[in-house]
Amino acid sequence: MTMNFNFLQCIPFLTGLIKNIPSPCALCHSDSNDGICDDCYHRYFSAQCPRCSKCANTLPFHDSENENLLCGDCVKKLPSFDETIVAIDYEPPLDQLVHLLKFHANLTMAPIMGKLIVKAIGKNRRPVCPDYLIAVPLGKQRLTERGFNQSLEIAKTLSRSLKADLVFDLVERIRETEKQSTISFKERKKNVRNAFGIVETNRHLIHNSHIGIIDDVMTTGETLEEIAALLKKAGAARITNFVFARTPPKNLQEI
């Protein structure tokens, strides 16, 4: 008796089986089905603190009737981007998720971080429907050193969840820059000035489009501002930042 085995027919079954295998929580290492256990999610992610609608800095007050509250910095000078949605503040122990992905090449963190951004989007009162998504691009040297773009890895999950096209080559880094984390906050704006350019073959996608920019961490916001200004100048109608972690204003102090 001959049995014909078709491996391709088994793929859906195997995929479902793998998805149902518990994985350790990235924070406390107990069993979880989504990378973060229920206890850690409720402890660190369920609370919704008031944030600036433009840059997502935390605010000391809340107004349930006003969705467009601004921090002092954005009141003084509006950024080029229209909205920023973040999952958490960049503080311990949650910063270890970024470190595991970015500095230890633990790529399993990327979909976890992407799903947490999606949950943050779900808490937003206004519908968020970008036409295209892009990841903050790395320079060729940095990409070679790291081997992957952490923002792009996070963006893949958002693209599937939001059903928005992820465009790999809309904006490119046209010159190498110093690592933002290694220079002072005052030097960061100068460091990224004119560091990005539009990829001409895809320029037509920008006009009148709502574009989402994905990054792992937003500190001063200078990188996102530079890219948003470039896209707005090229005709983008709206820019929304999707960021995993936001450095709190209290930590933005010169050392």
Side-chain angles (χ1 to χ4, degrees):
M1 181 177 178
T2 304
M3 295 182 64
N4 293 322
F5 178 75
N6 190 330
F7 178 75
L8 294 177
Q9 291 179 346
C10 296
I11 289 178
F13 170 76
L14 294 173
T15 301
L17 188 65
I18 291 170
K19 285 183 178 179
N20 289 324
I21 297 175
S23 57
C25 172
L27 293 170
C28 72
H29 309 297
S30 63
D31 286 345
S32 73
N33 291 321
D34 218 13
I36 300 291
C37 70
D38 290 342
D39 286 345
C40 284
Y41 180 79
H42 290 299
R43 188 175 193 181
Y44 299 114
F45 296 94
S46 60
Q48 193 172 6
C49 62
R51 294 185 181 274
C52 171
S53 63
K54 293 290 185 182
C55 74
N57 263 334
T58 52
L59 299 174
F61 55 88
H62 178 66
D63 184 349
S64 59
E65 296 182 359
N66 188 352
E67 300 177 359
N68 299 304
L69 296 175
L70 299 179
C71 66
D73 289 339
C74 289
V75 168
K76 292 177 185 175
K77 186 178 186 300
L78 284 175
S80 298
F81 45 79
D82 299 280
E83 185 176 14
T84 300
I85 296 175
V86 302
I88 48 98
D89 280 334
Y90 188 62
E91 292 187 306
L94 303 176
D95 56 352
Q96 69 179 281
L97 303 181
V98 177
H99 295 167
L100 285 169
L101 172 60
K102 201 169 183 175
F103 305 119
H104 298 280
N106 188 338
L107 295 178
T108 61
M109 293 297 107
I112 293 173
M113 292 160 70
K115 290 174 184 176
L116 290 168
I117 297 174
V118 171
K119 288 184 177 181
I121 294 170
K123 297 175 184 177
N124 206 43
R125 291 191 194 180
R126 295 182 297 270
V128 181
C129 305
D131 299 303
Y132 303 104
L133 296 176
I134 66 170
V136 171
L138 293 180
K140 292 181 180 178
Q141 180 180 334
R142 192 77 37 79
L143 186 59
T144 300
E145 292 171 356
R146 187 168 294 159
F148 63 95
N149 179 346
Q150 71 280 355
S151 298
L152 180 59
E153 296 304 314
I154 296 170
K156 293 174 183 177
T157 297
L158 265 73
S159 176
R160 289 191 294 269
S161 298
L162 298 178
K163 294 180 172 56
D165 289 338
L166 176 57
V167 185
F168 294 87
D169 49 0
L170 184 62
V171 173
E172 62 183 343
R173 196 176 288 252
I174 57 178
R175 67 174 178 83
E176 297 290 340
T177 58
E178 297 292 328
K179 291 181 180 179
Q180 292 285 77
S181 59
T182 64
I183 59 179
S184 73
F185 297 128
K186 290 181 179 178
E187 294 174 313
R188 294 188 180 199
K189 184 173 184 177
K190 182 179 179 181
N191 186 47
V192 295
R193 187 177 298 145
N194 299 322
F196 302 95
I198 302 295
V199 177
E200 290 301 325
T201 54
N202 283 325
R203 181 180 287 271
H204 64 281
L205 298 176
I206 301 173
H207 185 67
N208 280 340
S209 292
H210 177 183
I211 298 175
I213 308 174
I214 292 90
D215 206 359
D216 57 335
V217 178
M218 181 177 183
T219 304
T220 61
E222 296 297 348
T223 299
L224 291 165
E225 168 62 23
E226 187 73 16
I227 295 174
L230 180 70
L231 290 169
K232 281 290 184 72
K233 187 176 179 181
R238 183 175 178 84
I239 304 293
T240 300
N241 300 322
F242 300 105
V243 181
F244 176 68
R246 180 65 158 111
T247 302
K250 64 182 180 181
N251 296 343
L252 294 177
Q253 304 294 329
E254 293 289 355
I255 301 175

